[in-house]
């Protein structure tokens, strides 16, 4: 039960920024940018779509143990990757700090899910 809850929490965190997939105007509220550049708009909406994919995978893993290794890998790459880039660029303020905090919140349930998933395989 606790492993399922951990995956559900990580999944919910990854689904939070999904709005730009459907409503591009939310990019301004979420990230503090108003993309007038088509390239940036495409990239940010694609980012939202990929985060939704990780979120859905984690939610699926919350009730399907066979999916857990893949969900764990996807979420870990995303969370640790973002936090690594964030640190590499000097921990910038603003919307990126909010994303970093969300990823830091995701770390404990992700670590617990990893421990439980890897200990049972």
């Amino acid at each position: 039960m606790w492993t399922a809850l951990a995956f559900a929490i990580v999944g919910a965190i990854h689904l939070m920024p999904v709005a730009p997939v459907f409503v591009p105007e939310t990019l301004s509220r979420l990230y503090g940018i108003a993309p007038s550049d088509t390239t940036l708009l495409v990239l940010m909406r694609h980012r939202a779509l990929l985060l939704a994919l990780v979120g859905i995978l984690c939610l699926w893993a919350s009730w399907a143990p066979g999916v857990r290794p893949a969900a764990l890998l996807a979420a870990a790459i995303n969370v640790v990757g973002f936090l690594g880039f964030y640190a590499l660029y000097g921990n910038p303020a603003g919307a990126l700090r909010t994303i970093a905090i969300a990823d830091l919140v995701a770390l404990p349930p992700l670590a617990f899910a990893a421990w439980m998933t890897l200990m049972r395989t």
Side-chain angles (χ1 to χ4, degrees):
M1 176 181 91
W2 293 110
T3 306
L5 180 60
F7 274 107
I9 291 168
V10 173
I13 290 170
H14 278 86
L15 283 172
M16 288 171 30
V18 74
V21 171
F22 307 104
V23 185
E25 295 77 26
T26 58
L27 286 169
S28 176
R29 182 179 53 84
L30 287 173
Y31 302 109
I33 58 171
S36 56
D37 180 358
T38 304
T39 302
L40 184 58
L41 179 63
V42 169
L43 288 172
M44 294 304 289
R45 291 184 77 195
H46 185 254
R47 177 187 187 278
L49 188 63
L50 291 176
L51 288 174
L53 177 65
V54 174
I56 291 167
L57 190 58
C58 287
L59 290 178
W60 183 15
S62 71
W63 56 267
V67 178
R68 290 178 179 170
L72 179 62
L73 181 62
I77 288 171
N78 181 61
V79 169
V80 174
F82 180 83
L83 290 172
F85 284 130
Y86 181 74
L88 181 66
Y89 287 94
N91 305 325
L96 291 179
R97 180 166 290 155
T98 304
I99 297 167
I101 291 168
D103 279 353
L104 287 171
V105 168
L107 271 180
L110 181 60
F112 178 79
W115 177 261
M116 296 305 290
T117 299
L118 299 175
M119 291 304 292
R120 293 192 177 184
T121 48

